[in-house]
Amino acid sequence: MITSLNNRTKINKTKIRVGRGIGSGKGKTSGRGVKGQKSRSGVAIKSFEGGQMPLYRRLPKRGFNSISKDKVAILNLNKIQTYIEKKTINSSDLLNVDLLKKLNIISKKSTKLKILGTGEIKSKINIQANLASKSAVEKLEKIGGSIQLKK
């Protein structure tokens, strides 16, 4: 479709200058109507729905985030095994929160570490954690590894 130069849509539209006389079509009240709160300057009625109960008040309040709650990082034995196989973790060094944070395996915000017993671990490894499940402790001791629980 070819358009001629004289009937192209304007690219740069000029700004409507309000309050410039009756003849402009936007004079006197400048398109704001007459009187009332909305005709004044500097008034914003945010979230006002014309007397209808606003959305933020219609929806129920839910949830609570405790500021004193510890962020516990969870690590399964099979995950540890995959990191050892990928050579991300060396099976000879002590596995603790600081090392895992440094390797970006757990979140930097987490304060405690919990070891869970899902999956199998083949490598003998020493772990220092805050919490551990019974199955994780059993599996680690069975292959000759150790887990130290911090109090």
Side-chain angles (χ1 to χ4, degrees):
M1 186 175 115
I2 301 168
T3 56
S4 60
L5 290 173
N6 56 357
N7 65 0
R8 284 180 66 221
T9 53
K10 258 192 165 175
I11 297 165
N12 301 326
K13 292 196 168 93
T14 50
K15 187 178 169 232
I16 295 168
R17 297 180 71 211
V18 292
R20 292 294 184 280
I22 299 163
S24 69
K26 284 272 184 266
K28 196 187 167 214
T29 53
S30 308
R32 283 176 175 265
V34 202
K35 294 185 179 174
Q37 189 178 11
K38 286 183 176 176
S39 70
R40 316 281 188 241
S41 68
V43 177
I45 311 171
K46 289 185 178 71
S47 75
F48 181 69
E49 298 182 22
Q52 174 176 298
M53 189 60 67
L55 182 69
Y56 70 92
R57 286 184 62 197
R58 278 182 304 215
L59 299 175
K61 290 202 276 186
R62 283 200 51 153
F64 169 76
N65 289 329
S66 173
I67 54 168
S68 60
K69 187 180 171 188
D70 287 322
K71 298 269 190 286
V72 180
I74 293 171
L75 209 59
N76 275 307
L77 290 179
N78 61 355
K79 202 78 170 162
I80 295 169
Q81 185 60 44
T82 53
Y83 284 123
I84 291 168
E85 285 164 9
K86 284 183 190 170
K87 303 225 180 337
T88 311
I89 298 171
N90 192 356
S91 58
S92 60
D93 29 302
L94 180 71
L95 197 70
N96 57 11
V97 180
D98 300 323
L99 179 73
L100 293 168
K101 279 184 189 176
K102 200 173 86 179
L103 295 170
N104 269 344
I105 292 170
I106 62 171
S107 167
K108 298 238 188 298
K109 291 177 185 166
S110 48
T111 52
K112 290 184 177 180
L113 175 66
K114 182 169 185 172
I115 305 295
L116 299 180
T118 306
E120 287 299 316
I121 189 155
K122 299 172 192 92
S123 309
K124 187 174 144 182
I125 191 162
N126 298 325
I127 302 171
Q128 186 181 42
N130 302 81
L131 307 154
S133 68
K134 287 176 188 172
S135 60
V137 175
E138 284 171 19
K139 285 178 183 178
L140 276 165
E141 287 172 350
K142 195 171 85 176
I143 56 138
S146 70
I147 185 159
Q148 301 161 342
L149 295 177
K150 283 195 248 173
K151 290 284 178 270

